[in-house]
Amino acid sequence: MRLLPLAPGRPRWGSARHLPSCSPALLLLVLGGCLGVSGVAAGTRRPNVVLLLTDDQDEVLGGMYVPSALCCPSRASILTGKYPHNHHVVNNTLEGNCSSKSWQKIQEPNTFPAILRSMCGYQTFFAGKYLNEYGAPDAGGLEHVPLGWSYWYALEKNSKYYNYTLSINGKARKHGENYSVDYLTDVLANVSLDFLNYKSNFEPFFMMIATPAPHSPWTAAPQYQKAFQSVFAPRNKNFNIHGTNKHWLIRQAKTPMTNSSIQFLDNAFRKRWQTLLSVDDLVEKLIKRLEFTGELNNTYIFYTSDNGYHTGQFSLPIDKRQLYEFDIKVPLLVRGPGIKPNQTSKMLVANIDLGPTILDIAGYDLNKTQMDGMSLLPILRGASNLTWRSDVLVEYQGEGRNITDPTCPSLSPGVSQCFPDCVCEDAYNNTYACVRTMSALWNLQYCEFDDQEVFVEVYNLTADPDQITNIAKNIDPELLGKMNYRLMMLQSCSGPTCRTPGVFDPRYRFDPRLMFSNHGSVRTRRFSKHLL
């Protein structure tokens, strides 16, 4: 996690480097169910918060982890502060609970923006991509405005740059393909500035701005379409190599990739950077407006993404969904009151922590929530001798139907996201769960798949940061058993039990008797097949 990254001149791309430093004293105002930020004096409005969320931006500056490497489950985790097995959004479909009526009824009333609005008196503003199935006719259409939002400018379904429809507080507004009035990233910038101009000055505010960039179709603004012509996808050690000793979905990728595939992913990588230049413009405008209105020094700003992205790693052309660092690690940059500039924290954080952190900033009692995450506020303030977690859970339920892809008849039913050369990025049994562990001595990832192989992948990221060598068959069996047990515990955790000591925490206690059910059989991991 990077705190207050500063750099003069033009930022390279989507890096939020326009965020200037400041560390004024925080002040407290008692209001409703929120007591204000602890440890500060009374007399002034509570801090404002801005959350900038990009789409499919992989980690470049340290970053944090996402509990699922896919848009809708990850965004649901941000909003609820919960792991996917607790908010029950498992993929990008209505059947997978993405913006379904069940989600609207059970989860939306308990999101952190709903609490900010109802309990803390915050003005709440949303602009951009919400959830992938938002606006679906079977789930209330664009008339549905989730509880807790004072101002609502939400994109219908998935990311686009032109020819899209927005829900403006429940009323549809269509946009075309005229750059000056329709380019979505710029539209989001303009409505955000309008909000800052016309909002109430008597209530604190929360803004969530969710850009389409750098998601496909990677349509850059006209002035940026020739940028980065000499940029190519990184050729790191796991680029264009065979995924030996990995899950079958990774093993099926064709190695080496064809020249056309490499040209395609290089072009995609370049276009992704181009789209993020408009995000830089949005950030710059937002910062300048907050500075002009005198509110910057009382505003926390978070910059992050919903999931990572790969471009050629293990010969998979482009997508997300996989368990590796390039898909589960995203940027996290923060600035705000009380944060010293140019810090980098190595604490293990996840996007389930964003909701608790923002509620903590607002002064809400986190014990009243059912969130799985933890407040980052002590880390942001540089607290010493802080007791923190040593592991997080990552879980994903593969997408795929029991039909054969017509473009790849030789492949078995159940695959999806297939490229013309029949390399597929997902399948129904690409369903896995992982414990990502970081401690003073260990940097480890342990994963199990829900398939006929019951395949296991384990990586020592200290020795193997590119996750090339699966050490599942070579690791100490006792440690393997502890990791298996810890994974089962996290997959059934809720609230405080998600924050219990991990395997490498000195407070951890392993009881092998808990590996067995009351009937003496070995307890198995829980994968949810039907969560609605």
Side-chain angles (χ1 to χ4, degrees):
M1 176 175 58
R2 186 76 175 274
L3 309 183
L4 295 171
L6 307 177
R10 177 74 177 179
R12 181 163 62 102
W13 58 283
S15 58
R17 287 177 179 164
H18 289 295
L19 307 188
S21 63
C22 67
S23 54
L26 294 181
L27 300 174
L28 167 68
L29 174 66
V30 177
L31 175 65
C34 297
L35 300 178
V37 182
S38 59
V40 292
T44 281
R45 232 173 59 189
R46 285 152 299 150
N48 310 306
V49 182
V50 177
L51 173 58
L52 295 156
L53 182 68
T54 56
D55 197 351
D56 287 1
Q57 184 176 358
D58 51 302
E59 173 271 327
V60 291
L61 291 172
M64 68 172 177
Y65 288 93
V66 296
S68 187
L70 193 63
C71 301
C72 203
S74 181
R75 288 166 182 258
S77 287
I78 291 174
L79 291 164
T80 63
K82 298 177 181 179
Y83 284 121
H85 69 265
N86 286 328
H87 60 58
H88 306 310
V89 177
V90 298
N91 56 41
N92 286 344
T93 66
L94 278 177
E95 295 79 8
N97 206 27
C98 181
S99 200
S100 68
K101 289 185 176 179
S102 174
W103 157 266
Q104 294 169 14
K105 179 181 179 180
I106 298 172
Q107 302 297 337
E108 282 184 346
N110 298 303
T111 62
F112 78 85
I115 297 172
L116 283 177
R117 183 61 184 153
S118 64
M119 302 302 295
C120 303
Y122 271 67
Q123 301 168 84
T124 53
F125 169 90
F126 181 88
K129 174 181 171 179
Y130 178 55
L131 301 175
N132 294 57
E133 286 293 331
Y134 173 73
D138 291 342
L142 294 173
E143 293 80 12
H144 172 70
V145 177
L147 287 174
W149 296 102
S150 315
Y151 303 88
W152 181 252
Y153 296 82
L155 176 68
E156 180 183 31
K157 296 197 174 182
N158 208 359
S159 285
K160 294 182 178 179
Y161 299 83
Y162 294 109
N163 298 311
Y164 55 86
T165 302
L166 292 178
S167 171
I168 312 298
N169 296 319
K171 295 183 179 180
R173 178 185 296 173
K174 293 184 180 294
H175 281 260
E177 51 188 18
N178 182 339
Y179 168 72
S180 63
V181 294
D182 296 319
Y183 189 69
L184 181 55
T185 305
D186 291 353
V187 169
L188 300 182
N190 292 335
V191 298
S192 299
L193 297 180
D194 286 344
F195 168 75
L196 291 175
N197 284 337
Y198 298 113
K199 65 175 177 59
S200 167
N201 290 324
F202 301 99
E203 296 175 314
F205 63 83
F206 167 72
M207 302 178 72
M208 183 171 178
I209 307 168
T211 71
H215 196 284
S216 62
W218 316 303
T219 308
Q223 66 270 29
Y224 298 134
Q225 289 179 0
K226 294 184 179 179
F228 307 120
Q229 291 303 305
S230 61
V231 168
F232 302 91
R235 267 50 171 179
N236 45 5
K237 290 183 179 179
N238 55 20
F239 179 83
N240 198 18
I241 68 170
H242 186 252
T244 306
N245 295 323
K246 288 177 167 48
H247 186 243
W248 74 266
L249 187 67
I250 309 301
R251 300 196 304 264
Q252 57 87 38
K254 294 178 172 61
T255 306
M257 292 183 289
T258 63
N259 289 336
S260 60
S261 291
I262 293 176
Q263 290 174 3
F264 174 75
L265 68 87
D266 278 336
N267 190 47
F269 187 86
R270 190 176 302 116
K271 288 183 175 181
R272 282 162 54 81
W273 278 32
Q274 292 170 354
T275 65
L276 283 163
L277 290 174
S278 293
V279 178
D280 277 346
D281 293 337
L282 182 157
V283 173
E284 181 178 25
K285 293 173 184 176
L286 189 70
I287 295 297
K288 287 183 175 178
R289 183 60 55 87
L290 289 169
E291 196 168 28
F292 177 77
T293 59
E295 294 177 298
L296 183 61
N297 289 353
N298 194 40
T299 301
Y300 285 89
I301 300 176
F302 295 77
Y303 181 99
T304 189
S305 185
D306 53 1
N307 50 256
Y309 207 71
H310 57 258
T311 48
Q313 285 76 27
F314 301 123
S315 298
L316 296 172
I318 55 168
D319 200 34
K320 50 262 186 172
R321 307 168 195 270
Q322 309 308 331
L323 58 88
Y324 309 104
E325 295 283 281
F326 44 72
D327 282 0
I328 65 172
K329 201 171 182 183
V330 296
L332 177 61
L333 302 94
V334 188
R335 59 90 59 215
I339 302 177
K340 295 179 180 179
N342 297 317
Q343 300 179 79
T344 299
S345 172
K346 295 184 179 180
M347 294 293 194
L348 183 59
V349 298
N351 71 6
I352 57 172
D353 300 328
L354 293 175
T357 302
I358 293 170
L359 290 177
D360 198 12
I361 289 171
Y364 189 73
D365 182 359
L366 297 181
N367 292 323
K368 295 180 179 178
T369 75
Q370 297 178 339
M371 295 183 173
D372 303 332
M374 306 169 67
S375 172
L376 305 177
L377 200 53
I379 296 177
L380 300 180
R381 291 175 169 176
S384 58
N385 300 319
L386 182 65
T387 299
W388 196 252
R389 67 159 72 91
S390 60
D391 58 19
V392 293
L393 174 68
V394 178
E395 47 193 349
Y396 177 69
Q397 183 165 313
E399 291 183 11
R401 300 182 183 278
N402 192 27
I403 57 175
T404 300
D405 189 316
T407 62
C408 302
S410 62
L411 297 177
S412 300
V415 295
S416 62
Q417 313 299 317
C418 297
F419 283 84
D421 58 357
C422 294
V423 173
C424 300
E425 296 274 4
D426 206 2
Y428 76 94
N429 69 346
N430 185 36
T431 295
Y432 59 81
C434 306
V435 181
R436 183 66 179 89
T437 297
M438 294 181 71
S439 68
L441 299 176
W442 289 91
N443 186 2
L444 196 71
Q445 186 175 17
Y446 173 91
C447 303
E448 293 184 18
F449 283 84
D450 183 29
D451 59 10
Q452 292 180 348
E453 294 180 292
V454 193
F455 200 80
V456 176
E457 295 189 28
V458 184
Y459 299 97
N460 177 353
L461 281 92
T462 300
D464 181 23
D466 295 298
Q467 297 172 288
I468 294 172
T469 304
N470 179 8
I471 61 172
K473 294 182 180 179
N474 303 320
I475 199 168
D476 180 358
E478 182 180 355
L479 177 57
L480 207 63
K482 288 182 179 180
M483 296 302 293
N484 171 269
Y485 169 73
R486 180 62 177 165
L487 181 59
M488 288 192 296
M489 294 301 100
L490 284 176
Q491 279 200 283
S492 60
C493 76
S494 179
T497 60
C498 297
R499 304 187 288 272
T500 55
V503 169
F504 300 108
D505 190 307
R507 300 168 297 160
Y508 176 77
R509 296 294 180 268
F510 174 59
D511 185 351
R513 293 173 298 178
L514 297 179
M515 296 287 291
F516 299 89
S517 70
N518 293 333
H519 302 288
S521 60
V522 177
R523 187 178 294 178
T524 57
R525 286 185 35 251
R526 185 184 76 175
F527 283 106
S528 298
K529 295 297 185 184
H530 302 287
L531 292 173
L532 298 185

